[in-house]
Amino acid sequence: MVIVANKEAEPVMISFEKLGFLLSKKGKKWQYLRDCGISPGIVAKMKDGSGHTDTRTIQKVCEIMHCQPGQIMEYKPTNKEQ
């Protein structure tokens, strides 16, 4: 089991670029997620990749967008891990 004491220092390797493309494809903007109840702070983190996102949020986004998690996010390892 790995315990992370400082979440801020842990790099974010999950990208939500796919979510941006899916929103665009459906004629929506990031504001749509806020309008559907996702907090502005969480939407900002997903949009700019600045923080970690809880699985409950991913589930809610999938419900809103009628999609699977793989359609909204992907793992992008750092150069060290490739």
Side-chain angles (χ1 to χ4, degrees), residues 7-8 10-16 41-42 44-54:
K7 290 183 181 181
E8 297 299 320
E10 186 178 355
V12 178
M13 293 183 278
I14 299 295
S15 167
F16 286 93
I42 292 172
K45 284 195 304 186
M46 291 190 310
K47 184 177 180 183
D48 64 22
S50 63
H52 298 279
T53 304
D54 189 278

Side-chain angles (χ1 to χ4, degrees), residues 19 23 28-48 57 60-61 64-65:
L19 177 54
L23 285 163
K28 309 285 185 193
K29 297 185 184 256
W30 289 95
Q31 178 65 42
Y32 175 70
L33 297 177
R34 294 191 292 265
D35 294 343
C36 290
I38 306 293
S39 86
I42 292 172
V43 172
K45 284 195 304 186
M46 291 190 310
K47 184 177 180 183
D48 64 22
T57 301
K60 175 89 173 168
V61 171
I64 292 167
M65 299 299 293

Side-chain angles (χ1 to χ4, degrees), residues 15-28 30 65 71-72 74 76:
S15 167
F16 286 93
E17 288 177 18
K18 285 183 166 185
L19 177 54
F21 292 126
L22 184 60
L23 285 163
S24 181
K25 181 178 175 182
K26 293 187 176 205
K28 309 285 185 193
W30 289 95
M65 299 299 293
Q71 293 175 276
I72 64 168
E74 67 182 324
K76 290 191 171 184

